[in-house]
Amino acid sequence: MPELPEVENTVSRIASEITGKRIRAAQVLWKRTITEPNVAQFKRILANATVSAVTRRGKFVVLHLRTKHTHTTNYYLFIHLRMAGSLHLRPAKLPPDKFVRMILQLTGGKALCFRDIRKFGRVSLTSDYKKISDRLGIDALDPQFNYRSLQQILGKKSGAIKPILLNQKLIAGIGNIYADESLWRARINPYHKASSLTPTEIKRLNNSIRLVLLAAIRMGGTDNGDGVVAGNNKPKVYGKNGDRCPRCRTLIVKTRIAQRGTHYCTKCQPLLKSNRIANIF
DNA sequence: CAAACTCCCTGTTAGC
DNA sequence: TGCTAACAGGGAGTTT
């Protein structure tokens, strides 16, 4: 499923191809994909808008757009791929398959297709970048995301570390796969009480998050078997319950934390009683 | 305020 | 073998 690395690679793949292109028309094949505004407005605003840049914020692909009606306005198309979404550039004349939910017809004979089997993906069009960006915490690959900022975030959090990593309001971009992979690399138990990580552990976790994400980007994304991402990166613990830990050969276990499947090594990622949160097991 | 549900979806897989 | 039910997941919204 697309998380920060897959979204980053999506942006890299399409940015140079669509920057500078004009949108001839937008087609909406599944209305609920569009969060805002309504479909008529959505199409009206996008028609003849020019793509000025493509960026990433957390797990969002952001198309920066310039419209020219009576005066110039900047708009932002926030695309969230959720679990199964993907963006494809294809010849405009080719008919889309049944999983394509939205199409931007571009000048130059190509179309940007938003394909999403499970219909969980969402697209928002707004002139207010901050409205969506401000809902998100610091980007996990922001150079400002360091030991100090992570320490600040964990500060008084009494809950387990794992759901903190998944909370986009606190840190943007980490999903279930990379949360588990980062904790494994940092040798921190997912149940570990967030506020009782030592400075050493916080440093290790901060470094692990960055390195795990960068490695995944470099490898072209992580292939977790759902066919959505065609990367070569293989998870060390995610989905590997029953397999052995690559570091110590102990069996990887799977549990559930905050309604999420969670994978870890009980030997490499031990949980001291003093660090345990209340009400587990 | 935080944690826990519920809902949205559908391809895949476990279980009978 | 063939069917059904459970499962997976991110985030918004609701309830506890």
Side-chain angles (χ1 to χ4, degrees), chain A residues 201-259:
Chain A
E201 288 172 322
I202 297 174
K203 271 177 198 150
R204 229 159 57 214
L205 181 55
N206 180 238
N207 285 332
S208 295
I209 290 169
R210 176 171 295 101
L211 291 169
V212 162
L213 294 176
L214 288 174
I217 290 170
R218 205 174 50 241
M219 298 296 282
T222 296
D223 178 14
N224 71 326
D226 65 9
V228 172
V229 176
N232 297 315
N233 204 28
K234 293 280 188 282
K236 302 287 197 295
V237 287
Y238 182 86
K240 294 292 182 182
N241 38 310
D243 287 10
R244 292 189 181 279
C245 171
R247 206 162 35 208
C248 75
R249 315 305 299 161
T250 300
L251 282 179
I252 302 293
V253 300
K254 178 177 182 181
T255 181
R256 248 180 134 68
I257 303 182
Q259 289 76 243

Side-chain angles (χ1 to χ4, degrees), chain A residues 10-23:
Chain A
T10 296
V11 169
S12 309
R13 182 163 51 76
I14 66 172
S16 63
E17 291 247 40
I18 70 173
T19 302
K21 295 278 188 339
R22 183 171 56 80
I23 297 169

